[in-house]
Amino acid sequence: QVQVMESGGGLVQAGGSLRLSCVASGRIFSIDDMGWYRQAPGEQRELVARFPSDGITAYADSVKGRFTISRDSAKNTVYLQMSSLKPEDTAVYYCKFRVMRYGSRVRYDYWGQGTQVTVSS
């Protein structure tokens, strides 16, 4: 009932910038939480940034001051502006929405398929 699609990944040089975007569509009653995660090869998926319904954003220590999460609630869209990229930022980036669907009071997590971000030195 809900589809999630990321875009904006690619190959950049260290120090460069990328802007990721992610759109949720379908029979969505409300979105309570939006977030970005990443997973490098051989590593566990980690939270990068989140934008909960209260508007108080949070970031992993490794990206503070470099990444900015924002949202457009009317468009069910979340963005991740990444600046001063480092090789260690290389990973597959996933967006996640916590969604309440029409006809249900249960909240579900929906994930995008991921977009590759590669930062070269």
Side-chain angles (χ1 to χ4, degrees):
Q1 295 183 10
V2 178
Q3 299 81 44
V4 177
M5 184 176 297
E6 307 104 331
S7 62
L11 173 64
V12 298
Q13 295 289 319
S17 299
L18 283 174
R19 191 191 194 200
L20 307 182
S21 61
C22 187
V23 180
S25 61
R27 291 181 54 81
I28 299 170
F29 180 77
S30 65
I31 297 177
D32 298 325
D33 188 275
M34 302 177 180
W36 287 96
Y37 297 74
R38 68 186 181 187
Q39 187 169 18
E43 302 291 334
Q44 293 185 333
R45 188 172 299 184
E46 65 173 347
L47 175 68
V48 175
R50 65 185 295 261
F51 203 140
S53 59
D54 63 10
I56 307 301
T57 58
Y59 299 89
D61 288 341
S62 59
V63 307
K64 286 181 179 178
R66 300 188 297 118
F67 290 10
T68 301
I69 187 171
S70 60
R71 70 181 182 187
D72 185 337
S73 297
K75 298 180 179 179
N76 293 334
T77 301
V78 63
Y79 305 93
L80 186 67
Q81 178 66 50
M82 305 184 293
S83 300
S84 301
L85 284 162
K86 305 174 181 178
E88 51 262 44
D89 295 319
T90 296
V92 177
Y93 284 71
Y94 300 87
C95 63
K96 187 196 76 174
F97 295 87
R98 179 157 291 180
V99 174
M100 181 178 291
R101 301 178 299 186
Y102 281 108
S104 175
R105 295 183 179 182
V106 179
R107 293 173 174 85
Y108 297 90
D109 289 337
Y110 290 89
W111 294 83
Q113 293 185 346
T115 184
Q116 177 71 46
V117 173
T118 302
V119 184
S120 61
S121 60

PDB file of all heavy atoms in Angstrom, residues 3 17 22 26-27 36 42 44 47-48 56 59 68 70 74 83-84 101 106 120:
ATOM      1  N   GLN A   3       4.687   2.909  -1.070  1.00  0.00           N
ATOM      2  CA  GLN A   3       5.909   2.778  -1.837  1.00  0.00           C
ATOM      3  C   GLN A   3       6.878   3.885  -1.448  1.00  0.00           C
ATOM      4  O   GLN A   3       6.471   5.024  -1.211  1.00  0.00           O
ATOM      5  CB  GLN A   3       5.625   2.839  -3.340  1.00  0.00           C
ATOM      6  CG  GLN A   3       4.709   1.737  -3.854  1.00  0.00           C
ATOM      7  CD  GLN A   3       3.252   2.049  -3.600  1.00  0.00           C
ATOM      8  OE1 GLN A   3       2.791   3.170  -3.810  1.00  0.00           O
ATOM      9  NE2 GLN A   3       2.501   1.051  -3.146  1.00  0.00           N
ATOM     10  N   SER A  17      29.460  17.469  -2.411  1.00  0.00           N
ATOM     11  CA  SER A  17      28.123  17.461  -1.822  1.00  0.00           C
ATOM     12  C   SER A  17      27.172  16.643  -2.667  1.00  0.00           C
ATOM     13  O   SER A  17      27.333  16.514  -3.885  1.00  0.00           O
ATOM     14  CB  SER A  17      27.579  18.886  -1.699  1.00  0.00           C
ATOM     15  OG  SER A  17      28.392  19.693  -0.867  1.00  0.00           O
ATOM     16  N   CYS A  22      13.754  11.384  -0.935  1.00  0.00           N
ATOM     17  CA  CYS A  22      12.984  10.158  -0.811  1.00  0.00           C
ATOM     18  C   CYS A  22      11.519  10.523  -0.689  1.00  0.00           C
ATOM     19  O   CYS A  22      11.153  11.383   0.120  1.00  0.00           O
ATOM     20  CB  CYS A  22      13.449   9.364   0.418  1.00  0.00           C
ATOM     21  SG  CYS A  22      12.702   7.732   0.573  1.00  0.00           S
ATOM     22  N   GLY A  26       1.217   6.341  -1.786  1.00  0.00           N
ATOM     23  CA  GLY A  26       0.259   5.298  -1.482  1.00  0.00           C
ATOM     24  C   GLY A  26      -0.807   5.792  -0.532  1.00  0.00           C
ATOM     25  O   GLY A  26      -0.995   6.992  -0.336  1.00  0.00           O
ATOM     26  N   ARG A  27      -1.499   4.839   0.059  1.00  0.00           N
ATOM     27  CA  ARG A  27      -2.594   5.169   0.966  1.00  0.00           C
ATOM     28  C   ARG A  27      -2.034   5.456   2.356  1.00  0.00           C
ATOM     29  O   ARG A  27      -2.068   4.611   3.251  1.00  0.00           O
ATOM     30  CB  ARG A  27      -3.614   4.031   0.988  1.00  0.00           C
ATOM     31  CG  ARG A  27      -4.385   3.899  -0.323  1.00  0.00           C
ATOM     32  CD  ARG A  27      -5.406   2.773  -0.257  1.00  0.00           C
ATOM     33  NE  ARG A  27      -6.314   2.887   0.875  1.00  0.00           N
ATOM     34  CZ  ARG A  27      -7.395   3.668   0.916  1.00  0.00           C
ATOM     35  NH1 ARG A  27      -7.705   4.426  -0.130  1.00  0.00           N
ATOM     36  NH2 ARG A  27      -8.160   3.692   1.998  1.00  0.00           N
ATOM     37  N   TRP A  36      16.992   8.711   7.730  1.00  0.00           N
ATOM     38  CA  TRP A  36      17.989   8.205   6.796  1.00  0.00           C
ATOM     39  C   TRP A  36      18.941   7.282   7.530  1.00  0.00           C
ATOM     40  O   TRP A  36      19.402   7.604   8.636  1.00  0.00           O
ATOM     41  CB  TRP A  36      18.783   9.338   6.136  1.00  0.00           C
ATOM     42  CG  TRP A  36      18.006  10.096   5.111  1.00  0.00           C
ATOM     43  CD1 TRP A  36      17.325  11.256   5.284  1.00  0.00           C
ATOM     44  CD2 TRP A  36      17.848   9.738   3.741  1.00  0.00           C
ATOM     45  NE1 TRP A  36      16.743  11.648   4.105  1.00  0.00           N
ATOM     46  CE2 TRP A  36      17.048  10.732   3.136  1.00  0.00           C
ATOM     47  CE3 TRP A  36      18.300   8.673   2.960  1.00  0.00           C
ATOM     48  CZ2 TRP A  36      16.697  10.694   1.797  1.00  0.00           C
ATOM     49  CZ3 TRP A  36      17.945   8.636   1.621  1.00  0.00           C
ATOM     50  CH2 TRP A  36      17.155   9.637   1.058  1.00  0.00           C
ATOM     51  N   GLY A  42      29.912  -5.063   4.895  1.00  0.00           N
ATOM     52  CA  GLY A  42      30.410  -5.714   6.086  1.00  0.00           C
ATOM     53  C   GLY A  42      30.032  -5.047   7.388  1.00  0.00           C
ATOM     54  O   GLY A  42      30.476  -5.494   8.455  1.00  0.00           O
ATOM     55  N   GLN A  44      26.905  -3.079   9.933  1.00  0.00           N
ATOM     56  CA  GLN A  44      25.491  -3.021  10.227  1.00  0.00           C
ATOM     57  C   GLN A  44      24.905  -1.688   9.779  1.00  0.00           C
ATOM     58  O   GLN A  44      25.604  -0.679   9.704  1.00  0.00           O
ATOM     59  CB  GLN A  44      25.249  -3.223  11.720  1.00  0.00           C
ATOM     60  CG  GLN A  44      25.594  -4.605  12.235  1.00  0.00           C
ATOM     61  CD  GLN A  44      25.209  -4.781  13.687  1.00  0.00           C
ATOM     62  OE1 GLN A  44      25.157  -3.824  14.457  1.00  0.00           O
ATOM     63  NE2 GLN A  44      24.932  -6.019  14.067  1.00  0.00           N
ATOM     64  N   LEU A  47      21.801   4.456  11.885  1.00  0.00           N
ATOM     65  CA  LEU A  47      21.019   5.673  11.733  1.00  0.00           C
ATOM     66  C   LEU A  47      21.943   6.838  11.422  1.00  0.00           C
ATOM     67  O   LEU A  47      22.939   7.052  12.105  1.00  0.00           O
ATOM     68  CB  LEU A  47      20.229   5.952  13.007  1.00  0.00           C
ATOM     69  CG  LEU A  47      19.447   7.266  13.053  1.00  0.00           C
ATOM     70  CD1 LEU A  47      18.300   7.239  12.057  1.00  0.00           C
ATOM     71  CD2 LEU A  47      18.933   7.539  14.461  1.00  0.00           C
ATOM     72  N   VAL A  48      21.591   7.601  10.404  1.00  0.00           N
ATOM     73  CA  VAL A  48      22.333   8.792  10.030  1.00  0.00           C
ATOM     74  C   VAL A  48      21.639  10.047  10.543  1.00  0.00           C
ATOM     75  O   VAL A  48      22.263  10.918  11.149  1.00  0.00           O
ATOM     76  CB  VAL A  48      22.514   8.873   8.507  1.00  0.00           C
ATOM     77  CG1 VAL A  48      23.195  10.179   8.110  1.00  0.00           C
ATOM     78  CG2 VAL A  48      23.318   7.681   8.008  1.00  0.00           C
ATOM     79  N   ILE A  56      12.129  17.710  16.075  1.00  0.00           N
ATOM     80  CA  ILE A  56      13.446  17.769  16.687  1.00  0.00           C
ATOM     81  C   ILE A  56      14.344  16.769  15.973  1.00  0.00           C
ATOM     82  O   ILE A  56      14.270  15.560  16.222  1.00  0.00           O
ATOM     83  CB  ILE A  56      13.386  17.478  18.193  1.00  0.00           C
ATOM     84  CG1 ILE A  56      12.355  18.383  18.877  1.00  0.00           C
ATOM     85  CG2 ILE A  56      14.760  17.650  18.823  1.00  0.00           C
ATOM     86  CD1 ILE A  56      12.638  19.855  18.724  1.00  0.00           C
ATOM     87  N   TYR A  59      21.084  13.541  14.689  1.00  0.00           N
ATOM     88  CA  TYR A  59      22.113  13.097  13.765  1.00  0.00           C
ATOM     89  C   TYR A  59      23.108  12.191  14.460  1.00  0.00           C
ATOM     90  O   TYR A  59      23.367  12.328  15.662  1.00  0.00           O
ATOM     91  CB  TYR A  59      22.880  14.292  13.188  1.00  0.00           C
ATOM     92  CG  TYR A  59      22.039  15.252  12.398  1.00  0.00           C
ATOM     93  CD1 TYR A  59      21.394  16.315  13.011  1.00  0.00           C
ATOM     94  CD2 TYR A  59      21.892  15.091  11.023  1.00  0.00           C
ATOM     95  CE1 TYR A  59      20.618  17.201  12.278  1.00  0.00           C
ATOM     96  CE2 TYR A  59      21.122  15.972  10.288  1.00  0.00           C
ATOM     97  CZ  TYR A  59      20.481  17.020  10.922  1.00  0.00           C
ATOM     98  OH  TYR A  59      19.717  17.893  10.188  1.00  0.00           O
ATOM     99  N   THR A  68      22.362  17.558   6.718  1.00  0.00           N
ATOM    100  CA  THR A  68      21.152  18.206   7.177  1.00  0.00           C
ATOM    101  C   THR A  68      19.944  17.451   6.642  1.00  0.00           C
ATOM    102  O   THR A  68      19.836  17.234   5.433  1.00  0.00           O
ATOM    103  CB  THR A  68      21.074  19.674   6.725  1.00  0.00           C
ATOM    104  OG1 THR A  68      22.197  20.398   7.222  1.00  0.00           O
ATOM    105  CG2 THR A  68      19.795  20.324   7.252  1.00  0.00           C
ATOM    106  N   SER A  70      15.858  17.355   6.140  1.00  0.00           N
ATOM    107  CA  SER A  70      14.711  18.240   6.047  1.00  0.00           C
ATOM    108  C   SER A  70      13.546  17.465   5.462  1.00  0.00           C
ATOM    109  O   SER A  70      13.722  16.347   4.961  1.00  0.00           O
ATOM    110  CB  SER A  70      15.025  19.485   5.207  1.00  0.00           C
ATOM    111  OG  SER A  70      15.386  19.129   3.888  1.00  0.00           O
ATOM    112  N   ALA A  74       3.909  18.024   3.122  1.00  0.00           N
ATOM    113  CA  ALA A  74       2.835  18.039   2.141  1.00  0.00           C
ATOM    114  C   ALA A  74       3.119  17.115   0.969  1.00  0.00           C
ATOM    115  O   ALA A  74       2.194  16.640   0.312  1.00  0.00           O
ATOM    116  CB  ALA A  74       2.582  19.458   1.649  1.00  0.00           C
ATOM    117  N   SER A  83      27.195  17.453   2.829  1.00  0.00           N
ATOM    118  CA  SER A  83      28.290  18.331   2.441  1.00  0.00           C
ATOM    119  C   SER A  83      29.580  17.843   3.080  1.00  0.00           C
ATOM    120  O   SER A  83      29.564  17.045   4.019  1.00  0.00           O
ATOM    121  CB  SER A  83      28.001  19.775   2.864  1.00  0.00           C
ATOM    122  OG  SER A  83      26.821  20.261   2.271  1.00  0.00           O
ATOM    123  N   SER A  84      30.687  18.345   2.561  1.00  0.00           N
ATOM    124  CA  SER A  84      32.007  17.960   3.072  1.00  0.00           C
ATOM    125  C   SER A  84      32.125  16.449   3.182  1.00  0.00           C
ATOM    126  O   SER A  84      32.576  15.902   4.196  1.00  0.00           O
ATOM    127  CB  SER A  84      32.266  18.632   4.426  1.00  0.00           C
ATOM    128  OG  SER A  84      32.211  20.035   4.325  1.00  0.00           O
ATOM    129  N   ARG A 101      -1.344   3.806   7.996  1.00  0.00           N
ATOM    130  CA  ARG A 101      -2.118   3.649   6.786  1.00  0.00           C
ATOM    131  C   ARG A 101      -3.592   3.922   7.037  1.00  0.00           C
ATOM    132  O   ARG A 101      -4.069   3.832   8.177  1.00  0.00           O
ATOM    133  CB  ARG A 101      -1.945   2.231   6.225  1.00  0.00           C
ATOM    134  CG  ARG A 101      -0.503   1.861   5.908  1.00  0.00           C
ATOM    135  CD  ARG A 101      -0.394   0.443   5.412  1.00  0.00           C
ATOM    136  NE  ARG A 101      -0.866  -0.516   6.400  1.00  0.00           N
ATOM    137  CZ  ARG A 101      -0.768  -1.832   6.260  1.00  0.00           C
ATOM    138  NH1 ARG A 101      -0.226  -2.353   5.171  1.00  0.00           N
ATOM    139  NH2 ARG A 101      -1.229  -2.638   7.204  1.00  0.00           N
ATOM    140  N   VAL A 106      -2.233   0.988  13.311  1.00  0.00           N
ATOM    141  CA  VAL A 106      -0.913   0.416  13.486  1.00  0.00           C
ATOM    142  C   VAL A 106       0.088   1.169  12.624  1.00  0.00           C
ATOM    143  O   VAL A 106      -0.176   1.448  11.451  1.00  0.00           O
ATOM    144  CB  VAL A 106      -0.901  -1.081  13.121  1.00  0.00           C
ATOM    145  CG1 VAL A 106       0.499  -1.668  13.279  1.00  0.00           C
ATOM    146  CG2 VAL A 106      -1.900  -1.832  13.984  1.00  0.00           C
ATOM    147  N   SER A 120      35.127   9.341  -3.242  1.00  0.00           N
ATOM    148  CA  SER A 120      36.497   8.994  -3.562  1.00  0.00           C
ATOM    149  C   SER A 120      37.453  10.035  -3.001  1.00  0.00           C
ATOM    150  O   SER A 120      37.117  11.217  -2.881  1.00  0.00           O
ATOM    151  CB  SER A 120      36.693   8.872  -5.070  1.00  0.00           C
ATOM    152  OG  SER A 120      36.416  10.099  -5.724  1.00  0.00           O
TER     153      SER A 120
END
